[in-house]
Amino acid sequence: MSNSDTSPELLSGGELLMRSLQEEGVEHIYGYPGGAVLHIYDALYRQDKIKHILVRHEQAATHMADAYARATGKAGVVLLTSGPGATNGVTGIATAHMDSIPMVVLTGQVMSWLIGDDAFQETDMLGISRPVVKHSMTVRDPMDIPIIIKKAFHIAQTGRPGPVLVDIPKDMTAPNGQFPFEYPDKIKMRSYNPVQRGHSGQIKKAVAELLQAKKPIIYAGGGVILGRASGELTELAKMLNFPVTNTLMGLGGYPATDRQSVGMLGMHGSYEANMAMHNADCILAVGARFDDRVTNAASKFCPHAKIIQIDIDPSSISKNVNVDIPIVGPVRSVLKEMIGMVQQSEANERANIDLWWKDITSWRGRNASAYRTDDSLLLKPQAVVEKLWELTNGDAYITSDVGQHQMFAAQYYKFDKPNRWINSGGLGTMGFGLPAAMGVKLNFPDSEVVCITGEGSIQMNIQELSTCKQYDLPVKILTLNNGYLGMVKQWQDLNYESRYSNIYLDSLPDFVKLAEAYGHVGIRIEKPSDLDGGLREALALKDRLVFLDVLVEPTEHVYPMQVPNGSMCDMLLSKTERT
Amino acid sequence: MRRIISVLMENESGALSRVVGLFAQRGYNIDTLTVAPTEDPSLSRMTLVTHGNERVIEQITKQLNKLIEVVKLVDLTEGSHVERELLLIKVRATGAQREEVKRTVDIFRGQIVDVMPNAYTIQLTGTSDKLDAFIESVINATTIMEVVRSGVSGIARGEKTLAL
């Protein structure tokens, strides 16, 4: 369409939407068409800047967009039709919401004059999604589409990020509309102004506390990744020589192979991390929300510690555990300010923490993360993850599903970089791993992307093997197959006298043949001696999706494991040892 | 701990459902809720009465603030404030009851706003406590047919305002 420079071009609502998304720099949309979004799909067809990925189930579209956001920090975009299309996306929206992942979800809606009539494929999507979005909006006038999209991206990506849903009645995108397109440069909302920096007085108080601490520890969460602050975190930790523990969501925020890293904390955290937390006299929480899977019983949490918490979300502060020095602000700028203050401090202001490191070294010496390898002819799942780490030089993007394999991945794949560990931490969504791997691979085609999963989880979105073929996404799927829903089995072993209620997955498909049926490569690894060769073979097939069906020891448990209602340091260390 | 939280929010459809949903979702209590547009039709003013311990109240205010449509809020109970609630009550009033009810209304400085041969409709404003006290008194004099309460509206005393 040609226009003079002065008059803006006239577009339909569907075109306004596409142009707005282009202005936001969107490269991929993940979605599935249907009646209410046909106008949008037509506008999508008639442009060539944005590529659409057609999934096989809407849940996968949301996870793909989510994983893209986790790997890049930019909002992923999902396009779903009304009714069942939109409701199928709810699990993915909730997954993103729990982990504060920026995402813009566009859902079709029945024509505006039919809303409320129980029209075909009508669902109150604003209502259904309300508790699991950061915000949601509906389009009432096609002219508003650019400003609504601008707002959606702004809200999704700033402050504490999260998913934003935009519901679009079909008539808003009708092709006959003639509306001017002008995309706003900036947006100002009187009711939404996230904090830009922390309170300097509070930061000063916190630094004074940190310098005097004799048993300090840094407890770093997903906020470090989301806030792109791993560089600052590492710098501060190095300056102070403090031990660092990462949450499940924060893995990679501090290099796991560094001497000062004590590993993950919490329910399946390392012995040394949980011991250090429990015995600390000062905890610096950075972008971490004191989740119940971290604290164990909140009333017994770290009884000796002064707690400093940095978080961009005021409601995260003192929510579960009372905090002594709260700092509301973006973790990156707050850490930068802290670094400046520590630099200016005198050496004699700093407490000596040599004795504390002695304690930590002795806890490490217990080597609680060692697993027994002698008693079984079957592969240990831990060994599989360790081998993968070794063969990928610790540099792959790892996605996971939910269960024992997820914890083994978190414990034994040592992440040295942020944004490499992609998992559903808060909601714990099975079926996340494969579409997440696809979302990462699509945007990082030259990087190794491995989905560590189980035979239960993988079947929750296994249909996406077809999407992988269509868009040529050669991810590696590493299935730790023990024939059981392993984490449920572990709890039934520990708490229900091994009454295995509905956890045995009988009649599993032949995964090798299944992979082949979808046009991929399948490899089965059955014994320890096949592990190295099988993994190498899979990784060498750079251009092919390889489904590795790895048969592992079905009786294995994940340890350490915090004892329910205990303190941080009440742990089972194996089937026979307890702290 | 009873708290009166006053909220200034965008007058947009869906905003109210987000507030109500937040309370349901997080298990907070709503005792009363009133909402109406202000002199600026793009803004609504909501008064919310809730109760909970200090930690819960802190979370309520923080979570409300997090809602995108919420512009500002204040916990009125933290300072001196005026609170009022409107009561409309229909009671049986026959024979000697009529005078007795009228006396009670006068004592509480209410008004009889509708008169029927055997019933009165009474209007009364005041704090929630005062309305409770009135209902307790009138129940001794006659039979209550219907009670409608508006929920609390509140405003800070003095120069303090909750405005843009």
Side-chain angles (χ1 to χ4, degrees):
Chain A
M1 198 186 294
S2 70
N3 277 294
S4 71
D5 287 346
T6 47
S7 66
E9 46 187 321
L10 299 176
L11 303 175
S12 72
E15 289 166 335
L16 287 178
L17 180 60
M18 283 306 127
R19 288 292 296 275
S20 303
L21 294 172
Q22 288 171 5
E23 290 287 331
E24 286 294 334
V26 173
E27 289 172 61
H28 293 108
I29 294 181
Y30 313 90
Y32 207 105
V37 286
L38 280 172
H39 298 324
I40 300 175
Y41 271 84
D42 191 56
L44 181 65
Y45 185 87
R46 288 185 290 102
Q47 57 84 54
D48 55 8
K49 291 204 175 105
I50 299 173
K51 195 178 165 196
H52 178 271
I53 307 299
L54 175 64
V55 293
R56 300 297 176 263
H57 186 287
E58 288 88 350
Q59 184 188 346
T62 55
H63 293 329
M64 281 187 84
D66 170 316
Y68 161 77
R70 288 177 203 246
T72 64
K74 289 186 275 183
V77 182
V78 182
L79 174 57
L80 307 174
T81 195
S82 66
T87 56
N88 274 348
V90 171
T91 300
I93 298 170
T95 302
H97 185 249
M98 281 293 266
D99 291 341
S100 307
I101 304 303
M103 188 151 94
V104 172
V105 183
L106 310 167
T107 52
Q109 184 53 275
V110 300
M111 281 172 287
S112 51
W113 58 85
L114 290 177
I115 290 175
D117 291 357
D118 297 325
F120 177 65
Q121 294 195 327
E122 180 185 355
T123 295
D124 172 14
M125 199 51 198
L126 288 183
I128 285 181
S129 66
R130 189 192 40 70
V132 294
V133 294
K134 181 171 175 187
H135 193 54
S136 50
M137 291 172 276
T138 188
V139 177
R140 292 211 160 72
D141 184 335
M143 293 262 280
D144 297 338
I145 287 173
I147 183 90
I148 286 178
I149 295 299
K150 182 79 192 176
K151 268 190 193 173
F153 277 86
H154 175 63
I155 293 169
Q157 296 180 141
T158 54
R160 181 177 181 172
V164 175
L165 184 133
V166 181
D167 205 40
I168 312 174
K170 185 171 183 179
D171 48 311
M172 297 297 135
T173 54
N176 52 358
Q178 292 291 303
F179 306 100
F181 177 70
E182 272 173 289
Y183 201 66
D185 278 347
K186 272 190 183 159
I187 193 109
K188 212 174 141 39
M189 294 173 69
R190 62 184 174 187
S191 62
Y192 176 68
N193 296 292
V195 188
Q196 296 303 318
R197 55 194 303 268
H199 187 278
S200 291
Q202 289 291 94
I203 298 174
K204 214 170 171 177
K205 244 165 80 182
V207 169
E209 202 66 51
L210 289 173
L211 293 175
Q212 282 159 26
K214 292 191 175 66
K215 297 177 172 184
I217 185 164
I218 298 176
Y219 150 47
V224 172
I225 315 270
L226 293 164
R228 295 171 210 196
S230 53
E232 287 75 11
L233 175 74
T234 307
E235 192 181 344
L236 182 70
K238 288 278 163 199
M239 283 170 79
L240 293 165
N241 188 33
F242 283 6
V244 182
T245 178
N246 287 110
T247 68
L248 179 67
M249 292 307 301
L251 296 178
Y254 187 84
T257 55
D258 184 82
R259 181 189 66 86
Q260 284 168 238
S261 169
V262 291
M264 183 171 77
L265 82 169
M267 177 167 277
H268 293 297
S270 76
Y271 175 71
E272 49 267 41
N274 287 346
M275 291 301 287
M277 283 292 286
H278 186 77
N279 290 287
D281 69 352
C282 182
I283 294 171
L284 174 62
V286 188
R289 62 185 177 92
F290 298 84
D291 179 87
D292 57 277
R293 282 292 190 273
V294 160
T295 60
N296 209 357
S299 58
K300 297 175 189 164
F301 178 74
C302 303
H304 320 292
K306 274 232 161 155
I307 300 177
I308 302 161
Q309 186 183 4
I310 311 171
D311 205 290
I312 193 146
D313 177 4
S315 76
S316 275
I317 289 181
S318 294
K319 183 168 70 180
N320 302 331
V321 165
N322 204 37
V323 168
D324 300 292
I325 306 177
I327 303 168
V328 178
V331 289
R332 192 170 170 191
S333 79
V334 173
L335 288 174
K336 269 189 184 158
E337 251 184 271
M338 283 186 162
I339 289 167
M341 289 179 193
V342 173
Q343 270 166 344
Q344 282 166 14
S345 67
E346 305 288 334
N348 61 10
E349 288 176 60
R350 302 190 196 178
N352 185 320
I353 59 169
D354 292 349
L355 282 173
W356 179 231
W357 272 111
K358 244 184 200 164
D359 288 342
I360 292 169
T361 307
S362 77
W363 291 322
R364 267 185 184 150
R366 181 149 181 178
N367 204 12
S369 70
Y371 49 91
R372 294 189 305 161
T373 51
D374 50 342
D375 59 345
S376 169
L377 293 173
L378 281 168
L379 270 161
K380 294 283 177 182
Q382 300 94 324
V384 179
V385 176
E386 273 190 330
K387 182 52 96 178
L388 177 73
W389 175 70
E390 185 194 316
L391 295 180
T392 54
N393 301 313
D395 203 32
Y397 285 90
I398 302 292
T399 73
S400 88
D401 276 296
V402 173
Q404 285 186 320
H405 67 267
Q406 178 192 25
M407 291 300 116
F408 289 136
Q411 290 175 331
Y412 293 94
Y413 200 99
K414 307 282 179 203
F415 293 93
D416 281 340
K417 293 178 187 166
N419 307 95
R420 294 291 169 119
W421 166 238
I422 313 274
N423 90 125
S424 165
L427 197 67
T429 306
M430 290 171 74
F432 177 81
L434 174 57
M438 293 157 60
V440 176
K441 188 69 185 175
L442 184 69
N443 292 284
F444 297 93
D446 299 328
S447 298
E448 195 66 72
V449 182
V450 183
C451 166
I452 298 179
T453 183
E455 79 291 341
S457 286
I458 189 64
Q459 292 189 85
M460 285 213 184
N461 266 320
I462 201 158
Q463 76 287 344
E464 297 308 316
L465 286 174
S466 171
T467 314
C468 290
K469 188 67 187 168
Q470 181 170 350
Y471 296 97
D472 187 20
L473 300 170
V475 301
K476 304 293 179 274
I477 300 167
L478 183 66
T479 305
L480 302 177
N481 184 348
N482 62 2
Y484 288 94
L485 299 176
M487 191 55 96
V488 181
K489 178 173 179 287
Q490 175 166 346
W491 281 66
Q492 290 176 345
D493 277 331
L494 293 170
N495 301 323
Y496 300 92
E497 297 165 322
S498 299
R499 288 188 296 278
Y500 297 140
S501 179
N502 292 281
I503 53 158
Y504 178 54
L505 297 167
D506 201 358
S507 308
L508 284 174
D510 180 331
F511 287 116
V512 171
K513 282 190 185 154
L514 186 75
E516 287 166 1
Y518 277 106
H520 304 302
V521 178
I523 297 175
R524 181 166 297 115
I525 298 176
E526 295 182 60
K527 43 184 198 294
S529 56
D530 294 342
L531 179 64
D532 186 82
L535 276 182
R536 281 180 195 276
E537 188 187 343
L539 294 170
L541 290 168
K542 293 270 173 232
D543 302 330
R544 300 298 300 275
L545 182 151
V546 183
F547 194 118
L548 285 147
D549 182 22
V550 187
L551 305 188
V552 296
E553 171 68 63
T555 59
E556 202 63 29
H557 284 178
V558 181
Y559 293 109
M561 181 178 185
Q562 282 175 336
V563 177
N565 304 316
S567 71
M568 282 295 290
C569 67
D570 290 332
M571 286 173 274
L572 301 172
L573 298 177
S574 70
K575 285 181 184 170
T576 51
E577 296 162 275
R578 186 178 164 160
T579 53
Chain B
M1 200 164 53
R2 176 179 178 267
R3 290 285 169 160
I4 305 172
I5 296 167
S6 199
V7 184
L8 196 64
M9 60 200 291
E10 299 288 354
N11 183 15
E12 284 170 5
S13 73
L16 180 62
S17 77
R18 252 184 262 274
V19 171
V20 176
L22 171 70
F23 275 70
Q25 179 190 343
R26 296 196 180 262
Y28 307 144
N29 306 293
I30 298 181
D31 297 339
T32 76
L33 176 77
T34 70
V35 60
T38 64
E39 83 287 2
D40 172 353
S42 72
L43 287 171
S44 286
R45 175 79 175 241
M46 174 187 284
T47 312
L48 218 153
V49 178
T50 182
H51 62 270
N53 62 34
E54 211 166 309
R55 174 172 266 171
V56 169
I57 299 297
E58 187 181 324
Q59 270 297 311
I60 288 175
T61 55
K62 284 173 168 178
Q63 294 292 348
L64 280 171
N65 253 321
K66 226 166 114 173
L67 296 178
I68 304 293
E69 286 106 340
V70 169
V71 182
K72 276 181 183 176
L73 65 82
V74 64
D75 180 349
L76 288 175
T77 18
E78 277 180 354
S80 64
H81 62 277
V82 181
E83 60 168 288
R84 289 291 179 272
E85 190 177 354
L86 169 69
L87 167 73
L88 292 172
I89 181 168
K90 202 174 277 182
V91 297
R92 276 279 159 245
T94 50
Q97 276 179 335
R98 289 179 86 83
E99 196 45 40
E100 177 64 18
V101 170
K102 173 86 174 62
R103 256 201 309 277
T104 314
V105 171
D106 288 342
I107 291 166
F108 279 87
R109 280 183 254 171
Q111 290 158 301
I112 296 171
V113 290
D114 190 31
V115 180
M116 290 146 283
N118 51 9
Y120 286 146
T121 299
I122 302 152
Q123 164 191 312
L124 184 66
T125 54
T127 62
S128 303
D129 282 351
K130 177 179 162 182
L131 305 192
D132 291 343
F134 175 76
I135 292 171
E136 262 173 56
S137 303
V138 89
I139 214 164
N140 294 327
T142 180
T143 315
I144 294 174
M145 296 163 68
E146 193 177 356
V147 171
V148 184
R149 293 174 72 150
S150 65
V152 172
S153 284
I155 197 162
R157 283 190 187 277
E159 289 288 316
K160 268 197 288 184
T161 57
L162 182 67
L164 279 183

